[in-house]
Amino acid sequence: MVQLKKRLASRRRPVYAPPVAVSADMPEPDIYVVTSEAIRIPAHSKILASASPILEEIIERRTKKDLGKIPEIPIVGVPYGAVCEFLLFLNSSKCSDEQIETYGVHLLALSHVYSVEQLKMRCARGLAERLTVENVVDMIQLARLCHSPHLYLKCMKIITKDFKTVEETEGWKFLQEHDPHLELEILQFIDEEEQRKQRAKKERESQKLYLDLSEAMDCLVHICTEGCTSVRPYNTDNNQKKGPCSKFSTCHGIQLLLKHFGTCEKKVKGGCLRCVRMWQIFRLHSSICEQGDECKVPLCRQFKETEEHRRKRNDSRWRLLARKVVSAKALSSLSSLKRKRIEESMTQRS
């Protein structure tokens, strides 16, 4: 028994390591960092204290406790190499991709424990770039423990994107058995992400509808003012041929509706759906038209007078539709202007 105790004690005996490389002008190290392998690494207390508020408190306590001795600061739970890289960062504020590749997980944990935010962000970004389906479950647990929102969100996105594959990994099976709260958190995130995608899809579809209506309004004014192909105002020269406009796919549909509206015997009161559609287009135009009496679109003035009566009855849904169409047109104009500026700048560069 005594022999065994002696052997164990000899294994725990501290081993002295050379100090972390710093400038030659620096004074002699005044503190030791002790690793899990009982290796003592000489360090400078002022550098450690200035880089980490946690280490500053530990050094202050140890200095008071170990009067007359060189204080020893334990940094355990990680390999010796990770402690060396951690101390190297505290001295130089630099961390290479190779260091992240080898000790990224340990450095993230150390930076969290000792509140070294710059290293923590560097490790989170580096680990996020190295995420795979196989390690993402382990990384999300680490991100959660170390309060790293950047790494956590990246992990969530990868799990959501390829959940069926992640579900087959050993990491996910382990998570189901040992951390049901995190499992529920992930499943809720996936559900919320799916709902967000559905809402975004509906929003895009609504925006497209408003843009189509805005384009239809432009085509209606264009037909009633200038004319397009075979449909034109009554006071224009019928012998003068008009070519198709740039929005002819929409314009042609409005032309067909106008032709039908002018010749249909059933009309709106008779229940003709095409006439009802044309009637709604006239009404929507009058809601957003700002030309007043100069407008050449049929029924514009009559609809404006009717709208005054409807406002008193608080017809909010129609006014909301009109605002949406105007807003979609404005956004479309801004995006077109931005696109044009980008194209011009690219042309000038070339």
Side-chain angles (χ1 to χ4, degrees), residues 44-249:
H44 297 85
S45 59
K46 289 185 178 179
I47 292 177
L48 300 189
S50 64
S52 165
I54 306 299
L55 285 174
E56 184 180 15
E57 292 180 12
I58 295 172
I59 290 168
E60 189 176 342
R61 287 201 304 269
R62 289 283 180 172
T63 304
K64 290 178 181 178
K65 184 179 177 181
D66 302 334
L67 291 173
K69 298 180 181 178
I70 298 178
E72 294 182 354
I73 307 298
I75 297 182
V76 296
V78 296
Y80 164 75
V83 178
C84 289
E85 299 297 352
F86 180 64
L87 294 176
L88 186 62
F89 180 85
L90 298 184
N91 281 275
S92 65
S93 298
K94 294 178 182 178
C95 185
S96 67
D97 289 338
E98 186 180 349
Q99 291 168 327
I100 295 291
E101 184 71 39
T102 309
Y103 295 113
V105 171
H106 306 101
L107 290 174
L108 178 62
L110 288 172
S111 63
H112 171 68
V113 170
Y114 295 105
S115 297
V116 185
E117 290 302 318
Q118 186 180 355
L119 177 60
K120 186 175 178 179
M121 289 192 303
R122 174 72 182 89
C123 291
R125 287 196 299 269
L127 291 172
E129 292 170 359
R130 292 164 174 80
L131 287 173
T132 64
V133 172
E134 292 298 326
N135 70 7
V136 68
V137 176
D138 295 331
M139 288 297 105
I140 197 170
Q141 293 178 80
L142 177 67
R144 197 161 170 249
L145 289 170
C146 295
H147 305 293
S148 175
H150 176 78
L151 181 59
Y152 178 86
L153 187 58
K154 288 284 186 181
C155 291
M156 279 292 193
K157 288 183 177 179
I158 288 178
I159 293 172
T160 303
K161 184 180 178 181
D162 205 357
F163 180 66
K164 287 185 178 180
T165 309
V166 173
E167 206 174 12
E168 299 298 322
T169 61
E170 291 298 322
W172 180 260
K173 293 171 185 176
F174 181 86
L175 179 72
Q176 286 181 306
E177 293 179 9
H178 297 89
D179 198 346
H181 294 291
L182 180 56
E183 180 193 6
L184 179 62
E185 206 171 294
I186 291 170
L187 294 175
Q188 285 176 339
F189 182 91
I190 293 171
D191 184 57
E192 289 170 3
E193 184 70 11
E194 188 61 32
Q195 291 180 12
R196 187 195 64 79
K197 286 181 180 177
Q198 291 177 0
R199 288 195 300 270
K201 183 181 177 182
K202 287 182 180 178
E203 183 65 28
R204 286 195 301 270
E205 290 173 352
S206 299
Q207 194 68 15
K208 185 179 181 303
L209 173 63
Y210 299 138
L211 282 170
D212 290 343
L213 287 172
S214 174
E215 191 172 283
M217 297 301 101
D218 291 340
C219 289
L220 179 64
V221 174
H222 161 64
I223 292 168
C224 296
T225 307
E226 305 168 7
C228 185
T229 59
S230 60
V231 182
R232 63 194 65 193
Y234 70 93
N235 57 353
T236 57
D237 185 5
N238 291 329
N239 295 322
Q240 186 180 359
K241 291 184 178 181
K242 278 270 187 178
C245 63
S246 58
K247 302 175 182 177
F248 186 68
S249 58

Side-chain angles (χ1 to χ4, degrees), residues 264-322:
C264 181
E265 296 180 358
K266 290 172 67 176
K267 299 292 184 185
V268 177
K269 291 183 179 179
C272 176
L273 294 178
R274 295 177 72 184
C275 288
V276 169
R277 190 177 300 170
M278 192 68 240
W279 192 263
Q280 290 172 339
I281 290 173
F282 281 139
R283 182 183 173 188
L284 181 58
H285 163 78
S286 70
S287 300
I288 63 177
C289 179
E290 297 178 350
Q291 294 183 13
D293 294 338
E294 297 178 1
C295 181
K296 295 183 179 181
V297 175
L299 305 175
C300 183
R301 186 191 299 175
Q302 291 88 326
F303 269 115
K304 281 189 179 295
E305 292 173 356
T306 307
E307 284 301 314
E308 291 296 327
H309 298 292
R310 284 198 175 118
R311 274 179 191 154
K312 295 177 182 178
R313 289 187 293 169
N314 195 23
D315 192 358
S316 58
R317 287 185 299 175
W318 191 264
R319 290 204 301 276
L320 178 62
L321 174 62

Side-chain angles (χ1 to χ4, degrees), residues 2-13:
V2 175
Q3 295 281 343
L4 179 61
K5 285 184 177 179
K6 286 182 178 179
R7 286 172 67 185
L8 291 172
S10 65
R11 286 183 184 178
R12 287 196 296 268
R13 192 170 296 157

